[in-house]
Amino acid sequence: MGEKKIYSKLGEVIAKGDFVLTGELEPEKTCDLSHTIQEAKEMAPYVVAANVTDSPLGIVTINSMAVSHIIQKETGLECVWQLTVRDVNKLGIAGMIMGGHALGLRNILSLTGDHPNMGDMPESKPVFDLDSATLIKLVREMVDKGSINGHEIEHPPTLHVGGAANPNADPMEAEILKIGRKAEAGAEFIQTQVVYDIDRTIEFLKGIQKYKVPVMLGIFPMKSYGMAKGFDMFVPGVDVPKDILAKWKSVKTDITDKKEQKNVYDQLNYEFFKPFISELKSKNLLAGVHCMAVHYTRIFPKLVEVIGA
Amino acid sequence: MVVITTKKPVDEVLNILKENDVKSLVVVSCGVCAALCQTGGTEGLKEWTEILENEGFEVLTGIVSDDVCDNRVMMKDLRKIDDSVKEADAILTLSCGLGVQSIVQVLSKKYPNKKVFVTNNTEFMGMTERIGRFRMRCLGCGDCLLNETGGICPITTCAKALMNGPCGGMVDGKCEVGNYERDCGWVLIFNRLKAIGRLDLFSKLREPRNWSDSGHQREVIFR
């Protein structure tokens, strides 16, 4: 974030050039946040901040702005408020950005959001008045110029805004040029989709290096074979490599002791991600790692070792 | 260009006629777009006349009109069958939504209480690949981007109508909406702009669509 103003702990750590680890919280269709709060407390000692998802896969969950606020208030863990352009028009989103600031939120991850058609309310109107790049531009106008559409905001919000990237995207060139647009719009950081293919990841990260936006690599340590398989099947744009799936499957079938199974899964994740991250770090392609493994907080001490390598 | 229509379920139409206590009808069938979509024309008129008569409705007159959506044509055609129009409880039109509203408007002075119903759903303004295969490729947004997107419209080919795609829902050039069976509009645009050596246009950050002029009752009046 260069010499720009710093509004959050995440902004501060990135600006300092320290390697960042962020986590992810995925609230569900519930008004009781005790599980999410518990997970936030468990990951808090290890991460700089945690993303809070906004109805991923178009499946409606409790609102991410509200959850981000409650997590920050209840646990002290800083949140990266995921905000999609799927459900609210430009006018509404501008209001939400001011509301988010007033609730103490200081980081936004701008996302398109999965189409309602994918989720559990497919008859909902898909809004997409903005897109993920123009939302970034709107936030930056509000923060840096203190205006919306040229109209002055009495007390402007102060937040950082980042965008997403998908190194798995094919054609990759289109995705790289798209990141160029997000950089032009004013993205202050990039968090990537989950990756497993090191060569592809290197090619992509080198491709977007010219835009000079700090990149946090999305990883998904897999808690169990079921989790790995589900992730492979249901998350658009991500394929878990077959050899990994086979390894995880063998843990499930060959080891009967649950405690031992857990240890082996943790160790396998460590063994896969350590050389992966080390190589990217050694090439100076990363500002940090964003771990999307929800409900797998016990992996964080090991992840700290992974990224510290 | 054709306004693409599909048939409403017959029962839906019959129920609405019964609900409105309709006994006698004039049937107006579109001889152009609806004929092409096989939801109107001579065949449609014959089909609906039979359905209605079998259900006990009285069809006073049935006509095929070349431009149901053109107020001038409709005025002339309806004048020719004025006696039936006057007597009928309702007009049933085998056309798109424009046809229905054209008839309502044309009759508004002389027969302001005349009921007009439609047998079709209007799908979109379509491009004809062949009969029975129509594609929505233009939404009539009023601010055409085609000169900048290689002649492929993001508003209609992108499921989210994004101005800066593709989004994360694109996998191997396909769109998440519809189980990855359809091409991602923005990948089509990327490939086309690459082929014509204009990736600079792809890299451009585009402003959100301006909705301020897209309010209700859009019209074009030039004289």
PDB file of all heavy atoms in Angstrom, chain A residues 167 190-193 195 201 205 215-219 276-277 280 286 288-292:
ATOM      1  N   PRO A 167      -5.849 -17.727 -10.337  1.00  0.00           N
ATOM      2  CA  PRO A 167      -4.727 -18.237 -11.135  1.00  0.00           C
ATOM      3  C   PRO A 167      -5.090 -19.481 -11.948  1.00  0.00           C
ATOM      4  O   PRO A 167      -4.377 -19.826 -12.882  1.00  0.00           O
ATOM      5  CB  PRO A 167      -3.665 -18.586 -10.078  1.00  0.00           C
ATOM      6  CG  PRO A 167      -4.056 -17.812  -8.867  1.00  0.00           C
ATOM      7  CD  PRO A 167      -5.543 -17.736  -8.901  1.00  0.00           C
ATOM      8  N   ILE A 190      -4.571  -8.171  -3.420  1.00  0.00           N
ATOM      9  CA  ILE A 190      -5.271  -9.208  -4.168  1.00  0.00           C
ATOM     10  C   ILE A 190      -5.236 -10.483  -3.334  1.00  0.00           C
ATOM     11  O   ILE A 190      -4.190 -10.830  -2.785  1.00  0.00           O
ATOM     12  CB  ILE A 190      -4.575  -9.485  -5.530  1.00  0.00           C
ATOM     13  CG1 ILE A 190      -4.723  -8.297  -6.487  1.00  0.00           C
ATOM     14  CG2 ILE A 190      -5.072 -10.781  -6.176  1.00  0.00           C
ATOM     15  CD1 ILE A 190      -6.108  -8.109  -7.083  1.00  0.00           C
ATOM     16  N   GLN A 191      -6.374 -11.139  -3.207  1.00  0.00           N
ATOM     17  CA  GLN A 191      -6.401 -12.480  -2.616  1.00  0.00           C
ATOM     18  C   GLN A 191      -6.785 -13.434  -3.730  1.00  0.00           C
ATOM     19  O   GLN A 191      -7.737 -13.176  -4.464  1.00  0.00           O
ATOM     20  CB  GLN A 191      -7.421 -12.553  -1.477  1.00  0.00           C
ATOM     21  CG  GLN A 191      -6.966 -11.788  -0.231  1.00  0.00           C
ATOM     22  CD  GLN A 191      -7.971 -11.884   0.909  1.00  0.00           C
ATOM     23  OE1 GLN A 191      -9.166 -11.975   0.677  1.00  0.00           O
ATOM     24  NE2 GLN A 191      -7.476 -11.834   2.130  1.00  0.00           N
ATOM     25  N   THR A 192      -6.042 -14.512  -3.854  1.00  0.00           N
ATOM     26  CA  THR A 192      -6.337 -15.390  -4.987  1.00  0.00           C
ATOM     27  C   THR A 192      -7.297 -16.503  -4.600  1.00  0.00           C
ATOM     28  O   THR A 192      -7.476 -16.818  -3.423  1.00  0.00           O
ATOM     29  CB  THR A 192      -5.072 -16.055  -5.577  1.00  0.00           C
ATOM     30  OG1 THR A 192      -4.669 -17.148  -4.740  1.00  0.00           O
ATOM     31  CG2 THR A 192      -3.943 -15.059  -5.770  1.00  0.00           C
ATOM     32  N   GLN A 193      -7.876 -17.077  -5.623  1.00  0.00           N
ATOM     33  CA  GLN A 193      -8.640 -18.309  -5.468  1.00  0.00           C
ATOM     34  C   GLN A 193      -7.641 -19.385  -5.018  1.00  0.00           C
ATOM     35  O   GLN A 193      -6.423 -19.216  -5.141  1.00  0.00           O
ATOM     36  CB  GLN A 193      -9.303 -18.652  -6.821  1.00  0.00           C
ATOM     37  CG  GLN A 193     -10.140 -19.908  -6.878  1.00  0.00           C
ATOM     38  CD  GLN A 193     -11.241 -19.962  -5.845  1.00  0.00           C
ATOM     39  OE1 GLN A 193     -10.960 -20.214  -4.666  1.00  0.00           O
ATOM     40  NE2 GLN A 193     -12.483 -19.762  -6.246  1.00  0.00           N
ATOM     41  N   VAL A 195      -5.244 -22.409  -4.902  1.00  0.00           N
ATOM     42  CA  VAL A 195      -4.375 -22.999  -5.938  1.00  0.00           C
ATOM     43  C   VAL A 195      -3.735 -24.285  -5.434  1.00  0.00           C
ATOM     44  O   VAL A 195      -3.497 -24.456  -4.234  1.00  0.00           O
ATOM     45  CB  VAL A 195      -3.260 -22.018  -6.359  1.00  0.00           C
ATOM     46  CG1 VAL A 195      -3.836 -20.819  -7.073  1.00  0.00           C
ATOM     47  CG2 VAL A 195      -2.423 -21.581  -5.168  1.00  0.00           C
ATOM     48  N   THR A 201       0.591 -21.333 -10.949  1.00  0.00           N
ATOM     49  CA  THR A 201       0.566 -20.227  -9.999  1.00  0.00           C
ATOM     50  C   THR A 201       1.722 -19.267 -10.268  1.00  0.00           C
ATOM     51  O   THR A 201       1.536 -18.042 -10.277  1.00  0.00           O
ATOM     52  CB  THR A 201       0.637 -20.774  -8.558  1.00  0.00           C
ATOM     53  OG1 THR A 201      -0.442 -21.697  -8.384  1.00  0.00           O
ATOM     54  CG2 THR A 201       0.514 -19.667  -7.540  1.00  0.00           C
ATOM     55  N   LEU A 205       1.317 -15.418 -11.227  1.00  0.00           N
ATOM     56  CA  LEU A 205       1.839 -14.363 -10.345  1.00  0.00           C
ATOM     57  C   LEU A 205       2.863 -13.499 -11.072  1.00  0.00           C
ATOM     58  O   LEU A 205       2.915 -12.281 -10.871  1.00  0.00           O
ATOM     59  CB  LEU A 205       2.438 -14.975  -9.073  1.00  0.00           C
ATOM     60  CG  LEU A 205       1.433 -15.681  -8.149  1.00  0.00           C
ATOM     61  CD1 LEU A 205       2.145 -16.331  -6.978  1.00  0.00           C
ATOM     62  CD2 LEU A 205       0.369 -14.699  -7.639  1.00  0.00           C
ATOM     63  N   VAL A 215       0.014  -9.520  -3.308  1.00  0.00           N
ATOM     64  CA  VAL A 215      -0.838 -10.688  -3.535  1.00  0.00           C
ATOM     65  C   VAL A 215      -0.781 -11.651  -2.355  1.00  0.00           C
ATOM     66  O   VAL A 215       0.297 -12.024  -1.884  1.00  0.00           O
ATOM     67  CB  VAL A 215      -0.401 -11.458  -4.804  1.00  0.00           C
ATOM     68  CG1 VAL A 215      -1.283 -12.693  -5.011  1.00  0.00           C
ATOM     69  CG2 VAL A 215      -0.459 -10.560  -6.021  1.00  0.00           C
ATOM     70  N   MET A 216      -1.955 -12.041  -1.892  1.00  0.00           N
ATOM     71  CA  MET A 216      -2.051 -13.101  -0.886  1.00  0.00           C
ATOM     72  C   MET A 216      -2.581 -14.339  -1.581  1.00  0.00           C
ATOM     73  O   MET A 216      -3.648 -14.291  -2.223  1.00  0.00           O
ATOM     74  CB  MET A 216      -2.986 -12.675   0.230  1.00  0.00           C
ATOM     75  CG  MET A 216      -2.344 -11.667   1.162  1.00  0.00           C
ATOM     76  SD  MET A 216      -3.545 -11.126   2.355  1.00  0.00           S
ATOM     77  CE  MET A 216      -4.019  -9.601   1.631  1.00  0.00           C
ATOM     78  N   LEU A 217      -1.855 -15.404  -1.454  1.00  0.00           N
ATOM     79  CA  LEU A 217      -2.198 -16.629  -2.175  1.00  0.00           C
ATOM     80  C   LEU A 217      -3.257 -17.429  -1.425  1.00  0.00           C
ATOM     81  O   LEU A 217      -3.107 -17.695  -0.228  1.00  0.00           O
ATOM     82  CB  LEU A 217      -0.931 -17.477  -2.344  1.00  0.00           C
ATOM     83  CG  LEU A 217      -1.101 -18.662  -3.290  1.00  0.00           C
ATOM     84  CD1 LEU A 217      -1.080 -18.181  -4.741  1.00  0.00           C
ATOM     85  CD2 LEU A 217      -0.006 -19.691  -3.069  1.00  0.00           C
ATOM     86  N   GLY A 218      -4.299 -17.816  -2.122  1.00  0.00           N
ATOM     87  CA  GLY A 218      -5.373 -18.594  -1.504  1.00  0.00           C
ATOM     88  C   GLY A 218      -4.997 -20.065  -1.397  1.00  0.00           C
ATOM     89  O   GLY A 218      -4.654 -20.690  -2.394  1.00  0.00           O
ATOM     90  N   ILE A 219      -5.024 -20.564  -0.182  1.00  0.00           N
ATOM     91  CA  ILE A 219      -4.757 -22.004  -0.019  1.00  0.00           C
ATOM     92  C   ILE A 219      -5.908 -22.639   0.754  1.00  0.00           C
ATOM     93  O   ILE A 219      -6.614 -21.971   1.508  1.00  0.00           O
ATOM     94  CB  ILE A 219      -3.406 -22.300   0.681  1.00  0.00           C
ATOM     95  CG1 ILE A 219      -3.403 -21.762   2.112  1.00  0.00           C
ATOM     96  CG2 ILE A 219      -2.238 -21.741  -0.127  1.00  0.00           C
ATOM     97  CD1 ILE A 219      -2.250 -22.290   2.947  1.00  0.00           C
ATOM     98  N   PHE A 276       5.603 -25.571  -1.335  1.00  0.00           N
ATOM     99  CA  PHE A 276       4.801 -24.755  -2.263  1.00  0.00           C
ATOM    100  C   PHE A 276       4.988 -23.266  -1.949  1.00  0.00           C
ATOM    101  O   PHE A 276       5.363 -22.461  -2.803  1.00  0.00           O
ATOM    102  CB  PHE A 276       3.330 -25.160  -2.074  1.00  0.00           C
ATOM    103  CG  PHE A 276       2.403 -24.769  -3.189  1.00  0.00           C
ATOM    104  CD1 PHE A 276       1.925 -25.716  -4.081  1.00  0.00           C
ATOM    105  CD2 PHE A 276       1.960 -23.458  -3.347  1.00  0.00           C
ATOM    106  CE1 PHE A 276       1.050 -25.380  -5.103  1.00  0.00           C
ATOM    107  CE2 PHE A 276       1.091 -23.100  -4.363  1.00  0.00           C
ATOM    108  CZ  PHE A 276       0.633 -24.067  -5.244  1.00  0.00           C
ATOM    109  N   ILE A 277       4.752 -22.934  -0.673  1.00  0.00           N
ATOM    110  CA  ILE A 277       4.850 -21.521  -0.263  1.00  0.00           C
ATOM    111  C   ILE A 277       6.303 -21.049  -0.297  1.00  0.00           C
ATOM    112  O   ILE A 277       6.596 -19.920  -0.719  1.00  0.00           O
ATOM    113  CB  ILE A 277       4.246 -21.319   1.154  1.00  0.00           C
ATOM    114  CG1 ILE A 277       2.781 -21.787   1.205  1.00  0.00           C
ATOM    115  CG2 ILE A 277       4.350 -19.863   1.603  1.00  0.00           C
ATOM    116  CD1 ILE A 277       1.833 -21.102   0.279  1.00  0.00           C
ATOM    117  N   LEU A 280       7.391 -19.966  -3.752  1.00  0.00           N
ATOM    118  CA  LEU A 280       6.807 -18.692  -4.186  1.00  0.00           C
ATOM    119  C   LEU A 280       7.400 -17.525  -3.408  1.00  0.00           C
ATOM    120  O   LEU A 280       7.649 -16.455  -3.955  1.00  0.00           O
ATOM    121  CB  LEU A 280       5.285 -18.718  -4.015  1.00  0.00           C
ATOM    122  CG  LEU A 280       4.556 -19.757  -4.866  1.00  0.00           C
ATOM    123  CD1 LEU A 280       3.102 -19.859  -4.455  1.00  0.00           C
ATOM    124  CD2 LEU A 280       4.657 -19.410  -6.343  1.00  0.00           C
ATOM    125  N   LEU A 286       4.932 -13.216  -3.461  1.00  0.00           N
ATOM    126  CA  LEU A 286       3.807 -13.157  -2.518  1.00  0.00           C
ATOM    127  C   LEU A 286       3.977 -12.128  -1.415  1.00  0.00           C
ATOM    128  O   LEU A 286       5.095 -11.896  -0.942  1.00  0.00           O
ATOM    129  CB  LEU A 286       3.637 -14.520  -1.837  1.00  0.00           C
ATOM    130  CG  LEU A 286       3.170 -15.704  -2.666  1.00  0.00           C
ATOM    131  CD1 LEU A 286       2.976 -16.901  -1.747  1.00  0.00           C
ATOM    132  CD2 LEU A 286       1.874 -15.381  -3.392  1.00  0.00           C
ATOM    133  N   GLY A 288       1.680 -12.590   1.044  1.00  0.00           N
ATOM    134  CA  GLY A 288       1.130 -13.379   2.136  1.00  0.00           C
ATOM    135  C   GLY A 288       0.291 -14.543   1.650  1.00  0.00           C
ATOM    136  O   GLY A 288       0.235 -14.826   0.453  1.00  0.00           O
ATOM    137  N   VAL A 289      -0.332 -15.181   2.633  1.00  0.00           N
ATOM    138  CA  VAL A 289      -1.152 -16.354   2.332  1.00  0.00           C
ATOM    139  C   VAL A 289      -2.531 -16.150   2.958  1.00  0.00           C
ATOM    140  O   VAL A 289      -2.649 -15.667   4.091  1.00  0.00           O
ATOM    141  CB  VAL A 289      -0.482 -17.636   2.894  1.00  0.00           C
ATOM    142  CG1 VAL A 289      -1.462 -18.792   2.939  1.00  0.00           C
ATOM    143  CG2 VAL A 289       0.740 -18.005   2.063  1.00  0.00           C
ATOM    144  N   HIS A 290      -3.531 -16.491   2.180  1.00  0.00           N
ATOM    145  CA  HIS A 290      -4.899 -16.427   2.698  1.00  0.00           C
ATOM    146  C   HIS A 290      -5.433 -17.857   2.790  1.00  0.00           C
ATOM    147  O   HIS A 290      -5.592 -18.534   1.767  1.00  0.00           O
ATOM    148  CB  HIS A 290      -5.772 -15.579   1.767  1.00  0.00           C
ATOM    149  CG  HIS A 290      -7.211 -15.597   2.141  1.00  0.00           C
ATOM    150  ND1 HIS A 290      -7.640 -15.218   3.396  1.00  0.00           N
ATOM    151  CD2 HIS A 290      -8.333 -15.966   1.456  1.00  0.00           C
ATOM    152  CE1 HIS A 290      -8.958 -15.360   3.459  1.00  0.00           C
ATOM    153  NE2 HIS A 290      -9.399 -15.814   2.301  1.00  0.00           N
ATOM    154  N   CYS A 291      -5.665 -18.295   4.023  1.00  0.00           N
ATOM    155  CA  CYS A 291      -6.091 -19.680   4.223  1.00  0.00           C
ATOM    156  C   CYS A 291      -7.618 -19.742   4.299  1.00  0.00           C
ATOM    157  O   CYS A 291      -8.236 -19.149   5.178  1.00  0.00           O
ATOM    158  CB  CYS A 291      -5.486 -20.226   5.511  1.00  0.00           C
ATOM    159  SG  CYS A 291      -6.175 -21.830   5.934  1.00  0.00           S
ATOM    160  N   MET A 292      -8.198 -20.469   3.362  1.00  0.00           N
ATOM    161  CA  MET A 292      -9.663 -20.528   3.296  1.00  0.00           C
ATOM    162  C   MET A 292     -10.250 -21.768   3.957  1.00  0.00           C
ATOM    163  O   MET A 292     -11.431 -22.058   3.778  1.00  0.00           O
ATOM    164  CB  MET A 292     -10.105 -20.490   1.835  1.00  0.00           C
ATOM    165  CG  MET A 292      -9.812 -19.167   1.182  1.00  0.00           C
ATOM    166  SD  MET A 292     -10.507 -19.115  -0.474  1.00  0.00           S
ATOM    167  CE  MET A 292      -9.152 -18.409  -1.367  1.00  0.00           C
TER     168      MET A 292
END
